Amino acid sequence: MEQIVKQTLLFDFYGELLTQHQQRVYEDVVLNDCSYSEAAEEYQISRQGVHDLVKRCNRALEEYEAKLHLVEKFLSIREKIERIHILAEGKPEIQKISNEILEEL
């Protein structure tokens, strides 16, 4: 899985477990593509401080996933529903239901 997609999914599932400060910095650097320097200036911390914070957040998010497996389960369910959708070709009711489930995920 591409690293940015993985980081985004981990943040979506576990980001609320980070502190508000960690959430803001992580979101700016990883999701909004701000540089470490830009984030350092915005939050009045050193560039190294931003780098360390992002690294700690990545480690924490990975640890949450290792224990809870929510992203893994989500991806598995999504894949299975996509397969159901393909197998149900010509059966509009089943395709409709699988589409609804995919949208809810």
Side-chain angles (χ1 to χ4, degrees):
M1 179 179 351
E2 188 179 325
Q3 184 63 25
I4 191 69
V5 173
K6 182 178 181 181
Q7 288 176 305
T8 301
L9 283 171
L10 288 172
F11 186 76
D12 285 347
F13 278 86
Y14 306 113
E16 290 295 319
L17 299 173
L18 303 173
T19 67
Q20 289 290 327
H21 177 69
Q22 288 173 323
Q23 288 177 34
R24 289 192 306 268
V25 174
Y26 190 86
E27 191 169 1
D28 280 349
V29 172
V30 176
L31 306 179
N32 298 333
D33 203 28
C34 287
S35 69
Y36 290 152
S37 299
E38 291 171 328
E41 186 176 318
E42 172 74 24
Y43 297 103
Q44 299 178 346
I45 56 178
S46 69
R47 185 184 175 286
Q48 183 64 41
V50 172
H51 176 269
D52 291 345
L53 186 144
V54 170
K55 195 171 183 177
R56 276 193 314 274
C57 289
N58 278 330
R59 187 172 30 252
L61 295 172
E62 290 280 353
E63 288 173 3
Y64 293 136
E65 175 59 14
K67 291 176 183 171
L68 301 172
H69 306 285
L70 296 178
V71 173
E72 179 184 326
K73 290 174 186 173
F74 166 79
L75 293 173
S76 175
I77 290 168
R78 187 174 72 180
E79 179 184 315
K80 289 173 184 172
I81 292 174
E82 288 171 350
R83 286 194 348 234
I84 289 170
H85 183 77
I86 291 168
L87 293 172
E89 191 172 320
K91 297 178 178 146
E93 186 63 29
I94 295 173
Q95 285 187 323
K96 180 182 176 218
I97 293 169
S98 65
N99 281 336
E100 290 172 1
I101 294 170
L102 283 173
E103 287 175 21
E104 289 178 17
L105 290 178

